[in-house]
Amino acid sequence: MSSAISVEKLVSDAKETASKLKIDKFDIYGAIVDETSAEVDSGEPKQVSASNRASITVRVWNDQGTVGVTSTTNIDRLGLELALQSAHEASFFGAKENIPDFSPEAIADIPSRESQTAPQTAIEQLVATLLGAEKELLAKHTAIAGVPYNGLSQRDVSRFYLNSAGAMRNESSSYSSIYLYTKTEEEDRKPRSAGAYRVSRSFEDLDVKGCIEETAEKTISHLNYDKIKSGKYLVAFSPEAFLSLISAFSSLFNAQSILDKNSLSSPESIGTQIASPLLNVSDDELHVGNVGASTFDGEGTPTRRTLLIVNGVLTNFLHSSVTAKRLDAKPTGNGSIGSKVSVSPNFFHVERSSEANVSNEKVYDLATAENVILIDDLQALHAGVQSSQGSFSLPFDGWLINKGDRVSVESATVAGDILDLLKAITYVEPEVKITPSGVAPQIWVEGLSITGEA
């Protein structure tokens, strides 16, 4: 049964079941996912799986206006009836303050877009492709002893939102992804590792070759490693590293975090300078490079581009319908429904500002720069970031660069304060890179504290 038919039937079943239970006000958000994936190990398939799973979140409002929420993976008629009934019973214990309501934009028009789906490829082809990638990587250098972490998957996703006021959203998308992560073995040398990731709308368009080449190049470049001295350095963040840092501190822009007082920002922060004038940051779910883009959020609000930092100035927050109402703003398409309506970023887009184009023509070039740390990948973000305090201390993979010569950093951490870092940005490169987690250029920051291995 196709997911489109499933969603159509779900709408019909939901209305009939709600009527039967005498429920006047409800909404439902959910997804149906078809996925096949493969992993390999030493020339043999390690794990091959196929799954079809569904989940829905149901909200029901009672006659007193309070709301109950329940989730289920059973989306047949019986499962739907149980979910509506459970949510209705829970509604009498719901919060009495800041009660969520339907998003005012749940019935707003969404521009049509081309089909985002692609045909699935046979699982045998996935396994053969991944085995070939592993074999090719092992042949790149004698030090590459294995590819212990790898995976190739393809996924079809149908998302939907409906409510009793007549809102109905439904969309389907497909994407394929591959990741490769190596490990080296050399006598009297520490094991070194590196990896790469690619994602595409279809398996046919997946850049497997590019993933292999990037993984090999990074792995080999880490074989020549050395300790570095602790101190203050000019640091260049790769697009991936800078995006992971912005994501780790996304509470800066999160209206729910701000209302919960778990953010460095406050409602009065709008209009203040929080970063170098060279920097622009937006949340840009519908960017052409976002393969998994959704046209609506968990509340049915259309997604869009939201400017967050313009010329270094904090310009907007990310909102759900609940936070928008409390802060006299508009929903931005960043809401998720659950026991509490939450807010989360979609797809960050970092770029140089108009200020950068006009006033900062100095060229920072890794081919000529001296004593620069290039940070390629930040690690332990879950443990090394105190987002509500602004501090971070993170191990990283990277290189010390002198006039184009690269020496891998054996072991080191970068530490500091996120607002100090944002204000210490000295150069934003003009060319951006599209990554699975967002879009960004290389970002240069002056005077960051690097602690090398003693």
Side-chain angles (χ1 to χ4, degrees):
M1 181 170 62
S2 78
S3 51
I5 296 172
S6 299
V7 172
E8 202 173 282
K9 186 173 187 307
L10 189 85
V11 176
S12 170
D13 287 352
K15 289 178 178 175
E16 287 180 23
T17 306
S19 176
K20 172 185 167 186
L21 296 172
K22 294 184 168 49
I23 292 171
D24 295 324
K25 185 173 181 179
F26 69 92
D27 68 358
I28 299 174
Y29 174 80
I32 301 169
V33 181
D34 279 300
E35 183 174 22
T36 53
S37 62
E39 294 177 45
V40 301
D41 183 26
S42 305
E44 297 289 337
K46 178 183 177 184
Q47 183 173 318
V48 179
S49 64
S51 64
N52 177 275
R53 56 191 186 274
S55 63
I56 57 171
T57 300
V58 178
R59 297 191 297 183
V60 171
W61 286 257
N62 61 32
D63 294 340
Q64 285 137 47
T66 54
V67 62
V69 184
T70 191
S71 297
T72 181
T73 57
N74 183 2
I75 64 169
D76 63 15
R77 197 178 186 100
L78 178 60
L80 196 56
E81 182 170 343
L82 287 170
L84 283 162
Q85 197 164 355
S86 298
H88 184 254
E89 290 168 0
S91 69
F92 294 97
F93 303 94
K96 302 291 191 292
E97 294 182 355
N98 302 313
I99 300 170
D101 202 344
F102 295 156
S103 168
E105 296 191 22
I107 54 173
D109 289 338
I110 291 179
S112 61
R113 61 175 180 172
E114 293 179 9
S115 171
Q116 305 295 299
T117 58
Q120 290 245 345
T121 299
I123 191 73
E124 294 82 3
Q125 182 68 33
L126 301 187
V127 173
T129 301
L130 202 50
L131 286 170
E134 182 191 47
K135 184 178 179 181
E136 199 170 331
L137 266 175
L138 292 172
K140 290 286 184 182
H141 197 284
T142 54
I144 299 177
V147 189
Y149 303 106
N150 61 76
L152 179 54
S153 67
Q154 54 187 359
R155 179 181 287 193
D156 290 338
V157 183
S158 281
R159 302 179 187 88
F160 49 89
Y161 172 85
L162 62 106
N163 69 30
S164 54
M168 178 62 216
R169 312 281 197 202
N170 181 22
E171 66 180 1
S172 297
S173 60
S174 304
Y175 60 91
S176 296
S177 63
I178 182 172
Y179 69 91
L180 301 166
Y181 192 82
T182 60
K183 186 175 182 180
T184 68
E185 288 180 10
E186 285 186 299
E187 192 173 346
D188 299 326
R189 302 287 283 173
K190 291 182 178 180
R192 306 295 282 168
S193 297
Y197 180 81
R198 293 290 189 275
V199 63
S200 181
R201 180 83 58 222
S202 67
F203 175 77
E204 286 73 20
D205 295 331
L206 192 61
D207 185 16
V208 177
K209 189 76 174 175
C211 193
I212 294 168
E213 293 300 328
E214 183 182 343
T215 304
E217 182 186 337
K218 285 183 178 178
T219 304
I220 293 165
S221 73
H222 284 308
L223 295 174
N224 175 29
Y225 64 84
D226 204 350
K227 293 180 171 63
I228 59 168
K229 291 181 180 178
S230 299
K232 300 273 190 181
Y233 286 83
L234 173 61
V235 172
F237 286 91
S238 72
E240 293 87 350
F242 192 77
L243 285 166
S244 64
L245 198 61
I246 288 290
S247 295
F249 286 99
S250 62
S251 59
L252 279 166
F253 320 113
N254 188 314
Q256 189 62 60
S257 298
I258 291 160
L259 289 167
D260 292 341
K261 301 192 184 320
N262 285 326
S263 171
L264 294 171
S265 301
S266 70
E268 293 72 42
S269 297
I270 295 290
T272 61
Q273 191 88 29
I274 69 163
S276 161
L278 313 177
L279 186 71
N280 282 356
V281 178
S282 58
D283 185 60
D284 196 2
E285 171 71 356
L286 300 178
H287 189 281
V288 66
N290 186 8
V291 170
S294 177
T295 58
F296 57 91
D297 70 1
E299 298 184 288
T301 301
T303 53
R304 67 205 70 185
R305 185 180 189 192
T306 302
L307 301 175
L308 300 172
I309 297 176
V310 178
N311 294 342
V313 174
L314 183 61
T315 306
N316 286 299
F317 298 138
L318 301 176
H319 285 285
S320 66
S321 65
V322 176
T323 62
K325 186 176 181 181
R326 291 180 66 184
L327 292 175
D328 193 25
K330 289 184 178 180
T332 57
N334 295 87
S336 300
I337 62 173
S339 56
K340 177 180 180 180
V341 178
S342 59
V343 176
S344 56
N346 291 326
F347 192 77
F348 281 120
H349 185 177
V350 179
E351 58 192 335
R352 68 187 335 215
S353 68
S354 56
E355 191 85 11
N357 294 333
V358 171
S359 65
N360 192 343
E361 296 305 325
K362 180 178 179 181
V363 177
Y364 288 72
D365 187 353
L366 290 174
T368 57
E370 297 181 29
N371 211 37
V372 173
I373 299 286
L374 172 57
I375 293 179
D376 182 57
D377 180 49
L378 292 167
Q379 299 161 3
L381 287 147
H382 61 288
V385 166
Q386 303 295 324
S387 59
S388 60
Q389 298 168 21
S391 62
F392 61 91
S393 180
L394 300 167
F396 65 87
D397 286 338
W399 301 271
L400 177 64
I401 299 182
N402 271 308
K403 297 180 179 177
D405 291 333
R406 298 187 179 202
V407 176
S408 179
V409 175
E410 180 180 341
S411 179
T413 58
V414 58
D417 175 272
I418 187 62
L419 293 178
D420 290 343
L421 181 150
L422 291 175
K423 288 177 179 173
I425 291 172
T426 55
Y427 189 63
V428 178
E429 297 195 1
E431 290 187 15
V432 297
K433 178 182 179 182
I434 296 172
T435 81
S437 58
V439 179
Q442 203 155 265
I443 305 280
W444 296 64
V445 182
E446 188 67 70
L448 280 182
S449 293
I450 302 291
T451 303
E453 194 177 68

